[in-house]
Amino acid sequence: MLSRHSGSSGPLGKATAALVGAASVGTLGGSILRFRQQETTVDPVSPQRASSLVTDGPSRFTRNPMYVGMGGLLIAHAIYRSSVLAMLPAVGFVVAIDRLQIPAEEAALRNQFGEQFEQYCASVPRWLDNRSWSALR
């Protein structure tokens, strides 16, 4: 499905890209909606301003649904372009966010919500794993 050079994918690739893109937009948008409904910040630079711990909606299957949605959009783009090279921004994004941004957010949430956050971390993965798929059922 993916080649080294960018180009346009065929019908299956376009359909797959559309499906991944739609799921990513739903995850990202659904998460923002839940944060707004709980009247807490979506600003990743100021996680200490969080007024509540969002654990439902998309946050029930990943602790970072906004980042999963953003990464998914980058992956959808690579699939659409039918390009392995176009996957590099997705990989770079995930590595940078995982190593540079998420640890600071988790430290602030751990400080703010203590045991409630620890229990959330124990039951919901940082990204996606088997627990994510179980939560979708």
Side-chain angles (χ1 to χ4, degrees):
M1 190 187 306
L2 295 178
S3 67
R4 281 188 83 216
H5 305 289
S6 62
S8 182
S9 60
L12 180 59
K14 288 179 182 174
T16 302
L19 182 63
V20 171
S24 299
V25 167
T27 300
L28 179 58
S31 181
I32 291 170
L33 178 64
R34 288 303 301 135
F35 274 60
R36 296 281 188 222
Q37 288 170 337
Q38 290 193 20
E39 298 179 354
T40 191
T41 185
V42 297
D43 181 359
V45 180
S46 303
Q48 69 281 359
R49 290 182 29 222
S51 59
S52 66
L53 184 62
V54 180
T55 60
D56 61 351
S59 295
R60 73 184 184 284
F61 63 91
T62 174
R63 294 195 313 263
N64 295 287
M66 292 181 213
Y67 297 142
V68 168
M70 291 175 202
L73 288 172
L74 292 169
I75 292 168
H77 176 256
I79 294 168
Y80 180 81
R81 299 277 310 256
S82 188
S83 170
V84 172
L85 293 178
M87 194 65 77
L88 291 178
V91 171
F93 172 78
V94 169
V95 169
I97 290 297
D98 189 67
R99 301 290 181 231
L100 302 174
Q101 181 62 35
I102 292 174
E105 290 179 19
E106 288 183 342
L109 294 172
R110 190 169 279 111
N111 185 52
Q112 182 107 358
F113 299 105
E115 184 58 31
Q116 181 186 9
F117 183 70
E118 291 299 335
Q119 290 175 359
Y120 178 57
C121 288
S123 62
V124 177
R126 179 182 272 187
W127 292 99
L128 297 170
D129 69 12
N130 289 337
R131 294 172 290 175
S132 306
W133 311 123
S134 296
L136 285 173
R137 291 185 210 142

